[in-house]
Amino acid sequence: MTLYALDLFGTAVFAISGVLLACRSNMDFFGALVLAFVTAVGGGTIRDALLGSTPVFWIQNTHYLWVILAAVIVGLATLSWMVRIHRILQIFDAMGLAVFSIAGAQKALAFGAEPVVAIIMGVLTGAGGGAIRDMLAGQVPMVLRQEELYATPAIFGCLFYLLLLSWSVNPTLATVIAGILIFSTRMISVIRKIALPRIALPG
């Protein structure tokens, strides 16, 4: 139940980030709704399609759709306040990244996927929706920018989660530890502006 509640929380947070980007891009209500939707469930939808988990999770459980709609309404109603708390939203976004990444890896393992596939599915679940959001808004996806780490914390977090399971650590404890690793790594990169080194052509 706790993981499910965190999953809904992450859905709401990602949906609000979609609303904010839609407003910054001068979109209307429908545009905000579309960006909120793809941000919140885009990665998980692709994951379920690749794993053969159909119908996808938000069709099986429409609570996700209601959470997205509520997040859009709240986001638009408190827009001026939301803009002033950018750092708080970054914290929420890091929480969502942590929850979604581990949840994605867990679902892949439940479908019998190999560890490397579970890591890919975790990263896709955590960062895929944001990538779709950014592309629809005409921006370079956050996972491809050099300003700070985004996908990298998810990769290491999912890898560490699998290692903990292989060491017979309690799955709930492994989820908490790996989630904290993803969240803390993401926030440190935001605060310290840590990014992967750029690759430049010689000469």
Side-chain angles (χ1 to χ4, degrees):
M1 179 61 71
T2 300
L3 185 59
Y4 176 62
L6 289 174
D7 198 27
L8 291 179
F9 172 76
T11 299
V13 170
F14 277 177
I16 290 176
S17 74
V19 172
L20 289 177
L21 183 56
C23 293
R24 293 191 181 110
S25 303
N26 296 317
M27 295 183 181
D28 57 14
F29 176 80
F30 182 74
L33 191 60
V34 169
L35 287 196
F37 177 79
V38 299
T39 307
V41 301
T45 299
I46 299 174
R47 173 206 64 207
D48 283 2
L50 292 175
L51 292 175
S53 176
T54 55
V56 296
F57 70 100
W58 54 268
I59 295 178
Q60 294 183 21
N61 185 352
T62 56
H63 288 166
Y64 290 96
L65 300 181
W66 291 111
V67 168
I68 293 171
L69 180 60
V72 170
I73 294 173
V74 171
L76 292 175
T78 60
L79 186 60
S80 60
W81 180 69
M82 288 287 183
V83 172
R84 293 196 296 267
I85 58 169
H86 183 60
R87 180 52 57 84
I88 294 179
L89 287 177
Q90 287 179 323
I91 293 174
F92 286 170
D93 182 78
M95 290 180 180
L97 176 67
V99 172
F100 279 15
S101 297
I102 300 302
Q106 288 175 338
K107 187 157 190 177
L109 292 175
F111 273 74
E114 295 292 327
V116 64
V117 175
I119 293 174
I120 293 172
M121 292 298 105
V123 176
L124 179 60
T125 306
I132 299 172
R133 172 203 63 203
D134 292 345
M135 287 188 291
L136 288 177
Q139 297 187 6
V140 177
M142 187 180 297
V143 295
L144 301 179
R145 298 177 199 166
Q146 290 114 0
E147 290 89 350
E148 56 202 31
L149 303 177
Y150 198 84
T152 305
I155 294 173
F156 283 114
C158 291
L159 175 61
F160 192 56
Y161 173 73
L162 295 177
L163 288 175
L164 291 174
L165 293 182
S166 70
W167 295 335
S168 299
V169 175
N170 179 276
T172 301
L173 180 60
T175 297
V176 173
I177 294 174
I180 291 175
L181 175 62
I182 295 174
F183 172 78
S184 58
T185 304
R186 167 63 181 159
M187 288 310 302
I188 290 173
S189 73
V190 169
I191 296 172
R192 299 292 185 180
K193 297 298 181 184
I194 300 174
L196 294 175
R198 299 187 180 188
I199 301 176
L201 293 175

